[in-house]
Amino acid sequence: MAVSTVERVDQWLPVAVGDLTGALGDSVTVLPLVVALGALTPASLPHVLVGFGVFQIVWGLRYGLPLSVEPMKALAGLAIAGALTYGELVAAGLLAGGVLLVLGATGTLSRLQTVVGRPVIRGVQFAVALLLAQAGLDLALGDPGVAAVGAALAGVVAVTGYRRAAALVVLAAGTVWTAVAAGVPAPAVPAASLFPTGGPTLTIGAVEGTLAQLAMTVGNAAVATSLLCADLFDREVSPDRLARSMGGMSLAAVPLGGLPMCHGSGGLAGKYAFGARSGTANVVLGVLYLAGALVAGLWLSFPMALLGTLLGVVAVQLGRVALDTDHLPLVGAIGLLAVATNVGIAFLLGLAYWLARERWLA
């Protein structure tokens, strides 16, 4: 009996070099965003990293797949750009978590995806990319020389064929810079408490941010990730099951200082590209995040101009995905309208246009 149990565990969480390198695939998008949040908002970086570490391990063990655990990018991007306060981010995270839990439990997620057209989702992504680029430019102008060095480094990485790793390399360079200049802080365990840096603030802006995030989550996290699980791993993981995971994860993490999180398809693809083939990659990355949480104060002195470059690189990466569409005018209009007004209004008007168009074409 004991042998069969070990065999099942080995099959579920094998130890392979690809899973060790594949662990980095998710951090390409996670770390730049969470470091920016820790530097520019009241979010507690140690608590945020603990949340990512715990749930990387939880889902690696639960699914046996290298599922991504990423920040909900629309909400994170809006908070970094100053379009949402931290309190509104907390409220939106709880709202999004609750809605996803209900959608997953009632099996309505797949039906909802047919209502929100993919061009509308791409428009929200483009809007977030523009807002991140705007925030990054403001920071970079504080010290153009430092920002230019970061941009040159990202360009070299991209030209050599490792475009996805450009943001991570800039982050690593800034981390080394900070460690040399300010030293590595003594390890400290973040205190466990409810809403350690502030509670939820429910506003119209928080609701609009939630709607924008759900548009991205339905298409790019639940549905797209479900398809990737089947395509890459020959595993059937329904969008509704993923919605329940994301909803429960966000509702558990946000009150303890974590971020609203999702199973992004880009992170799953990134892990696979780096060699991950099982949940072992999640366990490895989860342990690294937990270790990083102990010295998270290191990133609080991260050079702001270099952080601007980092946000610019993330914006370019997100924008490339957003512009992969046959409906560029709609995607561009949603993005520009979001910059001129806010993402919630842009999303609702874009959705109204899309539904009217579909009805007219029918």
Side-chain angles (χ1 to χ4, degrees), residues 84-100:
L84 284 180
T85 67
Y86 178 71
E88 289 173 327
L89 170 66
V90 172
L94 293 173
L95 284 173
V99 171
L100 286 171

Side-chain angles (χ1 to χ4, degrees), residues 173-258:
T175 301
V176 172
W177 183 337
T178 304
V180 172
V184 178
V189 178
S193 61
L194 285 176
F195 301 110
T197 54
T201 304
L202 185 59
T203 64
I204 296 298
V207 174
E208 291 174 340
T210 302
L211 292 173
Q213 178 59 60
L214 288 173
M216 289 179 61
T217 300
V218 168
N220 287 349
V223 176
T225 299
S226 176
L227 292 174
L228 272 182
C229 287
D231 292 343
L232 300 180
F233 303 98
D234 196 26
R235 283 279 304 280
E236 195 69 34
V237 182
S238 73
D240 290 308
R241 184 181 178 190
L242 291 170
R244 292 195 298 272
S245 295
M246 293 185 288
M249 171 168 57
S250 295
L251 289 176
V254 171
L256 296 176

